Amino acid sequence: MSFFSKKKNVKTQEPWKITRSCLDLILECSKSNYPNEFGGLLRVNPNSKDVINEIVILPGTVAGESHAIFQLHMLPIDFNIVGTVHSHPSPSSCPSDADLHLFGKYGKVHIIAAMPYAEDSWKAYNYNGEGIEMSVI
Ligand SMILES: [Zn+2]
């Protein structure tokens, strides 16, 4: 069996989806918190586990470049929460070192919204900090 035919059998996660209203809320919260960061958790519809349709907003976001807005001990154990979302008060949607640390510790999918918080200024990442596809439905 060739390397390539083996590789086909690797099970991959279905592409994540996010509802339009959920994405709009993320962009809206990012804008209204600027120049502070906004942070929240991504929750899926319990009936369709690959569709993110709810944001759980975390209280007490802080300003600054550290991105240390998520206190791991504050994060709830909820099997419908699949990851995190936060905003960057800059045009870069690249994860910081602190972001990568968080991604590796909690959740499967993460969104970073960058300035100007428009339709095309956000990005989704997996737990490794690698950019992944996410469709808006
Ligand atoms: Zn960040």
Side-chain angles (χ1 to χ4, degrees):
M1 195 188 263
S2 81
F3 174 76
F4 292 104
S5 57
K6 259 187 202 164
K7 211 177 173 191
K8 263 188 196 165
N9 294 328
V10 174
K11 197 174 179 291
T12 52
Q13 162 79 43
E14 289 292 308
W16 290 97
K17 301 178 192 74
I18 187 165
T19 60
R20 164 68 49 192
S21 56
C22 201
L23 179 64
D24 284 348
L25 183 62
I26 290 172
L27 299 174
E28 208 45 56
C29 288
S30 300
K31 268 182 216 161
S32 61
N33 279 279
Y34 179 82
N36 293 338
E37 292 186 21
F38 146 75
L41 302 173
L42 302 172
R43 206 159 182 277
V44 290
N45 180 340
N47 301 319
S48 50
K49 301 267 186 195
D50 58 348
V51 178
I52 295 161
N53 71 341
E54 203 184 320
I55 300 295
V56 181
I57 294 171
L58 293 174
T61 54
V62 296
E65 290 292 309
S66 68
H67 307 320
I69 56 173
F70 295 99
Q71 303 292 318
L72 284 169
H73 66 266
M74 273 175 43
L75 300 179
I77 297 170
D78 173 336
F79 293 111
N80 293 317
I81 289 176
V82 291
T84 68
V85 54
H86 71 280
S87 65
H88 279 178
S90 75
S92 165
S93 57
C94 285
S96 67
D97 288 348
D99 291 341
L100 290 172
H101 181 75
L102 170 76
F103 292 180
K105 285 249 191 280
Y106 187 87
K108 295 181 278 195
V109 59
H110 304 275
I111 292 176
I112 297 177
M115 275 173 70
Y117 314 121
E119 189 65 31
D120 57 355
S121 60
W122 61 279
K123 234 170 138 34
Y125 298 92
N126 65 13
Y127 65 94
N128 258 333
E130 294 157 346
I132 57 168
E133 295 240 351
M134 184 176 288
S135 43
V136 182
I137 60 169

